[in-house]
Amino acid sequence: MALWRIRATVEDKPGYLSVLTASLALRSVNILAVQVHTTEGGAVDDFLVDAPDTMSEQELQAAIARGRGRDAFVTRAEAQGLADQPTRALALAGRLVHDPDSLGEALVTLLDAAEVRWRPEGTVVLHGFDEERMTLIDPAGGSYEVLRPAPAFTPAEYARAQALVEVSGALVRRTTDQTTLLLPDGAELLIRAATGDDVEGVRRMHAHSSMLSRRRRYLGGGQMPSEARLRRMLEPANGLTLLALHVDPASGEERVVAMANLLTEGDLGEVALLVQDAWQRRGIGTVLLRRLTAWAARTNFSALVAHTGADNVAMLRTLRRFGVADGDRDGALLTLTLPVAGHRSASDETPATSG
């Protein structure tokens, strides 16, 4: 038996697809997978089939025509074609995570394209697709022009390609959001958003932090957070977690030395910091908090709050750099509000009246 890929347009009416499949079955053609692409000209059916070794392309074309299939495209397929389309797309997305510069190659694989060309920004005006050409915006700048003489591109394929581009765009934005912090003593730190892969590094940071530092971060509880809690903190459903990482020049090992969390509820956010003891009093917490407040401003938060112990002088000093006034006190606990740049309260928007 031999693998073939078939694509044909069928009238989008009840029973027409069964006529095509029956015609193929009469020639001992086994359908292994099918996808349906809705187009203005009808339903385009994409089959992966197993046909007798003796069957030629012309015989397959004839079977499709007898089954009322139009504009048929037939080509030999490889064993990797047995992977279903969602699995294939997810594998390519995973490839982008590890190699963000491979978007062009991923588009070729996703679309079984003949060629992909990158065009500089400003050289392509329209983005979209026709039968043989698909043009997509490159999140890093410029455009990709994907070429495939046959079969004709479909709206479903364009949507898949756009989704893959969105994955690439998210990775580009994540890379862009990274920054290098140079400390006064010459040490360099990488500041970036946390991911689920950082659990072990954050656990080690907690282990190298004193009981006092952990108690101040978790307001009385100095125990190590559970793995489940760490994962929720690193990838919050609503909010953002930033890490500061240092690469040991001797060993090359990357270590997490600070973490800043912003958890949200509605248009309010709560911030918290933990800086490993050996890295405290070097301005790291201020930098992390400044990036969180900038993110909150872009996301239209009304205010941020921080809960800290009244004896946590270092945290209070950091917060007051952001214009925080005296907060509300509940025993040994202080709750302070950080203003968010660009936010106007309801009272600010109320027109002044004269008496």
Side-chain angles (χ1 to χ4, degrees):
M1 302 294 280
L3 292 175
W4 293 84
R5 182 184 171 197
I6 297 171
R7 182 174 286 195
T9 302
V10 178
E11 288 292 330
D12 194 10
K13 296 179 180 178
Y16 274 67
L17 178 58
S18 63
V19 173
L20 176 56
T21 57
S23 179
L24 293 172
L26 287 173
R27 298 302 307 270
S28 300
V29 176
N30 182 31
I31 297 175
L32 303 176
V34 61
Q35 301 176 57
V36 180
H37 304 245
T38 302
T39 70
E40 293 181 358
V44 175
D45 296 310
D46 199 333
F47 299 97
L48 179 68
V49 303
D50 194 5
D53 291 331
T54 57
M55 191 171 222
S56 67
E57 180 180 334
Q58 291 74 22
E59 289 173 317
L60 267 176
Q61 291 273 13
I64 295 166
R66 284 194 294 273
R68 300 182 184 177
R70 309 191 316 269
D71 305 320
F73 169 82
V74 177
T75 187
R76 294 297 292 265
E78 302 295 335
Q80 56 262 37
L82 291 171
D84 60 43
Q85 192 63 37
T87 300
R88 192 180 191 188
L90 286 171
L92 290 171
R95 175 180 170 184
L96 283 177
V97 170
H98 297 289
D99 185 7
D101 295 327
S102 64
L103 177 58
E105 298 167 13
L107 289 170
V108 168
T109 303
L110 178 73
L111 300 168
D112 293 314
E115 184 182 0
V116 63
R117 300 170 182 168
W118 184 83
R119 304 292 191 190
E121 198 164 354
T123 59
V124 177
V125 178
L126 298 177
H127 300 91
F129 73 99
D130 55 27
E131 290 188 355
E132 299 183 2
R133 186 185 315 269
M134 186 182 295
T135 308
L136 301 148
I137 297 174
D138 180 2
S143 300
Y144 282 107
E145 188 178 49
V146 188
L147 306 176
R148 188 178 72 190
F153 286 123
T154 66
E157 289 178 311
Y158 183 61
R160 291 170 188 163
Q162 288 278 44
L164 198 62
V165 168
E166 282 296 317
V167 172
S168 177
L171 293 169
V172 168
R173 289 189 292 273
R174 175 181 164 187
T175 302
T176 302
D177 285 342
Q178 294 183 357
T179 187
T180 300
L181 172 64
L182 180 63
L183 299 178
D185 61 4
E188 290 187 359
L189 298 180
L190 175 67
I191 309 296
R192 64 164 173 81
T195 73
D197 294 334
D198 293 310
V199 169
E200 185 57 35
V202 172
R203 183 187 290 111
R204 286 199 298 268
M205 180 197 68
H206 279 77
H208 287 93
S209 298
S210 66
M211 180 69 75
L212 177 60
S213 291
R214 295 201 301 266
R215 187 181 298 120
R216 284 176 168 173
R217 164 60 180 86
Y218 298 105
L219 302 178
Q223 295 79 14
M224 185 81 69
S226 67
E227 180 167 336
R229 185 177 181 185
L230 282 180
R231 290 191 179 279
R232 289 195 299 271
M233 291 166 61
L234 292 176
E235 295 185 305
N238 298 293
L240 175 67
T241 292
L242 295 177
L243 301 179
L245 302 101
H246 177 251
V247 177
D248 189 319
S251 64
E253 181 184 4
E254 186 179 73
R255 298 175 180 172
V256 180
V257 299
M259 175 179 69
N261 309 101
L262 169 55
L263 303 179
T264 70
E265 184 175 344
D267 63 348
L268 297 176
E270 179 182 335
V271 294
L273 298 171
L274 176 61
V275 180
Q276 193 176 311
D277 293 61
W279 294 86
Q280 291 176 8
R281 298 177 179 82
R282 299 166 78 173
I284 300 171
T286 300
V287 171
L288 291 173
L289 196 55
R290 184 177 295 120
R291 290 180 70 83
L292 286 183
T293 56
W295 184 82
R298 295 195 302 270
T299 320
N300 296 320
F301 281 81
S302 62
L304 302 178
V305 298
H307 305 292
T308 188
D311 63 343
N312 192 347
V313 177
M315 184 64 171
L316 292 173
R317 186 185 299 119
T318 298
L319 291 171
R320 287 188 175 117
R321 292 193 183 104
F322 292 83
V324 175
D326 294 337
D328 298 325
R329 183 161 184 162
D330 182 6
L333 180 67
L334 283 175
T335 298
L336 302 105
T337 301
L338 289 76
V340 175
H343 176 75
R344 298 178 62 192
S345 66
S347 59
D348 294 332
E349 297 173 355
T350 304
T353 58
S354 58

